[in-house]
Amino acid sequence: MKKASIPTVDFVPRNLVSSLNNPDGPSMYAKDKSQPIQAYQKNVNGTTYFYPPDTNGSNQPNGNIFDDPSGYLPMPSVESPTSSLYAQDDLRRDLLHRNALSMASPDSDRWPDLPETIEDYHDVYPLDIYGHSSKILSYSTSTYRATYSKTGEKCCLKRIHGFRLTITKYAPLIEAWKKINHANIVQLKDVFITKAFNDTSLMFIFNYHPDSESLQTRHFNSNETMNGYNDPFSSDPNAPRPYSHTKNAILRHQHSNGLLSENTLWNYAIQLSSALRVIHGSGLALRGLCLNRVLVTGHVNNRARLRINCVAITDILINDMASSNMIGHFQQEDLTDFGKLLLALACRSLIAVHQDNLATSIDLMARSYSSDIRNIIRYLLSTQRRHITELMPMIGARFYTQLDAAQNHSDNLENELSKEMENGRLFRLLVKLGSINERPEFNLDPAWSETGDRYMLKLFRDYLFHQVTEDGRPWLDMSHIVQTLNKLDSGSSDTICLYSRDEKTILVVSYQELKHCLEQSYCEIASVAASDDHIKAE
């Protein structure tokens, strides 16, 4: 066998299965728990950017506070020698986790009444935490994940329990919402009434985005109530009503939750304003924009994607046919709700948006954030006639940096995809080699894999994987394996020396000859595997 010089072992695989085996383990995303401190600002091309010392949303000191005002900041990573061959570990981990969530199966003992199918949807899986349903207006709701039978697509099903009205009159409205396909809106796919749950339920079908959570869950304590925040979906007469709070109460919330960086606020403002622009431009209104209604996927600053959820539900459940004449009014309410959402995030307090606290909250926000973010929130909360397109001049050059960051992220994903595409090509070569090598039972001939073309491929297998150093230690070199497989796949005219393990046989062959032997041997196996004559003869 060929002797190799002593190399450096440069490939250590990482265990990527632990997150799938521990679904109840700690969350991938840590919440901000730091203390608010003095921030910094910088003027770039006529636009003022405001930066806390932290660029990841936690207000910890960071030396690169002016590097990226977009809110899309690169995650720190350690490049390994094989990083150019495989997708990044964090990306692979996230995709595996989302795939595991998409493939999860329900526990029949826990949900005995779960239907097997809901019209054209099967593999129904409940998404409500601990199986508890929520409420929208006066209706109980449940959320499920299911597979659409016609396309195999995973969808999110929002069920409205005990809906006894007809939806025929809402067909034009439903069709208008279904036409909206936007990166920051969970697209509505269908609306229908079903009796799969032994009642009359109204089903809203949306795109499914696994591993998402609401803005309130992401940025606020779980034990913090909606007290002070106008939840448009709440109809409980016993729910706590807003009441006056002092400045100290809001400061305590800021202190306990920690301030968001202004990068994050602009990131969120740009994405939500883009969604509202499309909704209002289509002659529709969201009617109730709140923290619970906005899903966030990804890390807080890096690749955080916002999506407005549950569109069209309020329009149908309120059952107000006169609403078409009040779209302008509802759109103004959307902008007010947008301003309250940003103010609640800036103050990290749900009580900050109560009417009695608005002036105090804006004053406290101005201490930690720039005048630009203060002006955009004041504009949204004003009583004047507003329009979503008027936010663009206030956003300024931040829009371009956000766009650049999104395009850079897209380029990065394409680069990672190209790695996996090449890996798939090499995997097919390894499958063929593995199907041929050490296969003594083919046609009942024990010597089949040890003669002719198969013997050459066996020596090539040793050349790929079984080389050793001069002192007998295994030689591991991932670049050698990848380069050799690429030459085999292309049928290169380069030649190599193949040694038998006792070093008594030496073959000098080209990759082109090896590829011919591989294809011919694999075709022999494939032809016999696809034929019934061999089985009948036995």
Side-chain angles (χ1 to χ4, degrees), residues 169-180:
K169 59 183 178 181
Y170 294 105
L173 179 65
I174 294 172
E175 289 301 317
W177 276 111
K178 288 168 63 176
K179 291 179 181 178
I180 296 181

Side-chain angles (χ1 to χ4, degrees), residues 44-47 49 69 270 392-402:
V44 180
N45 297 330
T47 300
Y49 296 103
I270 291 171
M392 179 59 72
M394 301 182 183
I395 294 173
R398 294 179 182 87
F399 178 84
Y400 296 104
T401 54
Q402 185 87 354

Side-chain angles (χ1 to χ4, degrees), residues 98 209-212 218 295-299 303-305 307:
R98 294 179 190 178
H209 301 283
D211 200 25
S212 299
R218 172 65 65 89
L295 298 181
V296 55
T297 307
H299 301 281
R303 306 189 298 272
R305 170 74 67 83
R307 294 182 176 91

Side-chain angles (χ1 to χ4, degrees), residues 404-418:
D404 291 341
Q407 291 176 337
N408 289 336
H409 179 53
S410 176
D411 292 341
N412 179 63
L413 290 181
E414 288 186 5
N415 180 58
E416 300 303 313
L417 177 61
S418 67

Side-chain angles (χ1 to χ4, degrees), residues 144-184:
Y144 306 88
R145 185 214 71 218
T147 303
Y148 188 37
S149 301
K150 296 182 179 180
T151 63
E153 179 184 8
K154 301 291 183 181
C155 298
C156 179
L157 283 61
K158 193 74 174 182
R159 173 195 173 197
I160 310 298
H161 299 217
F163 187 81
R164 298 180 178 85
L165 303 177
T166 180
I167 61 171
T168 305
K169 59 183 178 181
Y170 294 105
L173 179 65
I174 294 172
E175 289 301 317
W177 276 111
K178 288 168 63 176
K179 291 179 181 178
I180 296 181
N181 184 9
H182 190 269
N184 300 116

Side-chain angles (χ1 to χ4, degrees), residues 238-252:
N238 298 320
R241 296 293 97 189
Y243 57 93
S244 178
H245 293 270
T246 64
K247 182 183 298 186
N248 289 335
I250 301 176
L251 286 172
R252 283 195 297 270

